[in-house]
Amino acid sequence: MNGKVVKTDDEWRKLLSSSQFRVMREKGTERAFSGAYWNAHEKSVYVCAACGLELFSSDTKFESGTGWPSFSAPIAGERVETESDASLGITRSEVHCARCGGHLGHVFDDGPKPSGLRYCINSVSLYQEKR
Ligand code: FE
């Protein structure tokens, strides 16, 4: 993606809350059912909490029962990137913002049709803009 946002950890620490930094820059995970958006249903666009890129829409948000906001697709494929994550002894696909590299969550292949994908995203990595 053009116009990548690149900052040092010190710069990110000044911009992000401590919980945002832990998740977005250190790939942490918020506790299930603890975030602001797992049960949100308003028509909205969810933007990257670090750089503001529009990532997900309420149109693809679904009830996964996991306690994390779950989407079947990003707003556009190039908005997010994935990489293999072998932590926790299993291989998962890590998902991050394509513009700033901020960690968002993971994507699994047990989502609803037609995509079959479940983007399991930390609320703290998102900011909800009601539309
Ligand atoms: Fe971002």
Side-chain angles (χ1 to χ4, degrees):
M1 147 167 286
N2 292 329
K4 286 205 184 262
V5 174
V6 179
K7 296 182 188 299
T8 66
D9 277 354
D10 280 349
E11 289 169 327
W12 282 122
R13 266 183 220 283
K14 290 181 183 131
L15 290 169
L16 302 175
S17 70
S18 58
S19 54
Q20 285 172 331
F21 187 87
R22 188 177 60 79
V23 171
M24 300 194 79
R25 306 312 308 179
E26 299 181 327
K27 301 187 178 178
T29 301
E30 70 193 13
R31 277 186 303 111
F33 303 101
S34 74
Y37 304 134
W38 67 271
N39 199 27
H41 298 94
E42 301 87 354
K43 185 163 177 56
S44 45
V45 167
Y46 293 88
V47 307
C48 175
C51 78
L53 185 65
E54 296 185 354
L55 297 176
F56 297 98
S57 164
S58 54
D59 293 344
T60 62
K61 195 172 187 295
F62 68 97
E63 297 303 319
S64 65
T66 60
W68 290 281
S70 301
F71 304 87
S72 56
I75 284 177
E78 72 273 12
R79 303 284 172 91
V80 299
E81 295 173 344
T82 60
E83 76 183 65
S84 182
D85 170 11
S87 65
L88 302 183
I90 49 169
T91 301
R92 298 176 294 169
S93 288
E94 183 267 354
V95 181
H96 56 265
C97 172
R99 184 157 73 182
C100 73
H103 173 70
L104 303 172
H106 291 85
V107 59
F108 302 93
D109 61 5
D110 57 4
K113 291 180 189 316
S115 77
L117 297 176
R118 171 171 60 95
Y119 287 82
C120 184
I121 305 299
N122 291 280
S123 291
V124 78
S125 299
L126 301 174
Y127 180 76
Q128 181 190 43
E129 293 186 352
K130 293 177 186 166
R131 296 284 167 94

